[in-house]
Amino acid sequence: KAGVTQTPRYLIKTRGQQVTLSCSPISGHRSVSWYQQTPGQGLQFLFEYFSETQRNKGNFPGRFSGRQFSNSRSEMNVSTLELGDSALYLCASSLTVTHYEQYFGPGTRLTVT
Amino acid sequence: QKEVEQNSGPLSVPEGAIASLNCTYSDRGSQSFFWYRQYSGKSPELIMFIYSNGDKEDGRFTAQLNKASQYVSLLIRDSQPSDSATYLCAVISFRGGGGADGLTFGKGTHLIIQP
């Protein structure tokens, strides 16, 4: 069974731009969560989607948003990029919202200059 | 503020010995506990999860949970150089209205297995 896939793997953007990241969950998994990983803050929860609905949101500004499609694929968007948004963005999928084992994709490395 | 605490290390263990990794958490509502392994430059890989007090064994790995002490640990038996990585402890808590929050991660323990 194929794992979680994320595209693109690497991105370089400039301050003020916006970016969209994509995630395809493991086949059959319907819950998708997004995390930000930085050396200083570690792994932090952004949001979770299930059945095209955001169920949960972490403590991030409104510039961070996401959505989920009917095939469970998910995208996250960051608007008005700041230097501090440079990070590894990780997507994780689980079977449903009551199956808490989450499996991570390879991540998207975002660099903001 | 939910917190998960881990010793950052590095924890150095000789090859073939038992590596013991520890984690404490602040939220008594935490119900599910996970250990992830992350190699440098890679994404986290789920290696163990435990939901009930006691021990859970899977191959060379044993997870131990003590909810009364808010403590979870991971033992790696017969440590191999390929076990050298950062080990992340993560917990999920349940909200009062039902449903679960996202994973709250510790900062990780850097484990080095010395040949």
Side-chain angles (χ1 to χ4, degrees):
Chain A
K1 186 182 281 192
V4 178
T5 58
Q6 291 187 246
T7 57
R9 294 292 311 279
Y10 303 92
L11 265 179
I12 300 175
K13 293 285 189 178
T14 56
R15 276 180 299 175
Q17 288 186 314
Q18 74 165 16
V19 66
T20 298
L21 312 181
S22 181
C23 170
S24 292
I26 292 171
S27 178
H29 283 198
R30 296 173 57 200
S31 176
V32 173
S33 298
W34 289 89
Y35 295 84
Q36 180 196 66
Q37 187 173 32
T38 59
Q41 298 299 316
L43 262 162
Q44 292 184 288
F45 171 70
L46 280 158
F47 27 66
E48 179 190 16
Y49 286 88
F50 177 76
S51 291
E52 303 177 62
T53 301
Q54 186 182 91
R55 294 189 65 254
N56 243 320
K57 185 170 168 50
N59 190 25
F60 279 82
R63 300 185 297 107
F64 292 82
S65 63
R67 60 177 175 167
Q68 187 181 35
F69 303 95
S70 58
N71 62 358
S72 297
R73 192 177 68 85
S74 177
E75 289 181 346
M76 70 162 281
N77 184 78
V78 188
S79 63
T80 318
L81 283 166
E82 301 177 359
L83 293 178
D85 297 333
S86 295
L88 180 66
Y89 289 88
L90 292 158
C91 167
S93 75
S94 59
L95 268 172
T96 69
V97 291
T98 54
H99 290 76
Y100 307 113
E101 303 92 59
Q102 295 185 18
Y103 299 88
F104 283 87
T108 294
R109 172 75 60 187
L110 172 64
T111 302
V112 182
T113 62
Chain B
Q1 180 77 5
K2 300 168 189 170
E3 293 182 344
V4 177
E5 299 288 340
Q6 296 182 255
N7 189 321
S8 62
L11 173 65
S12 186
V13 174
E15 184 176 357
I18 296 175
S20 178
L21 304 162
N22 304 313
C23 169
T24 58
Y25 58 94
S26 64
D27 183 9
R28 283 199 172 273
S30 298
Q31 296 288 335
S32 305
F33 306 86
F34 306 85
W35 285 99
Y36 285 84
R37 177 176 63 197
Q38 187 171 26
Y39 293 113
S40 180
K42 301 293 186 182
S43 62
E45 174 191 6
L46 179 63
I47 55 173
M48 287 290 287
F49 56 90
I50 185 167
Y51 298 163
S52 304
N53 274 330
D55 295 0
K56 178 182 179 182
E57 187 175 318
D58 184 1
R60 296 187 297 113
F61 298 100
T62 299
Q64 300 174 316
L65 174 60
N66 184 326
K67 288 186 179 181
S69 300
Q70 295 176 241
Y71 177 93
V72 58
S73 64
L74 178 71
L75 302 178
I76 306 175
R77 290 181 299 282
D78 188 23
S79 296
Q80 303 297 310
S82 59
D83 295 326
S84 297
T86 296
Y87 288 80
L88 300 163
C89 174
V91 307
I92 275 187
S93 301
F94 291 83
R95 289 170 280 128
D101 289 333
L103 288 168
T104 300
F105 282 85
K107 293 289 180 69
T109 298
H110 184 205
L111 175 66
I112 299 172
I113 306 300
Q114 295 182 323

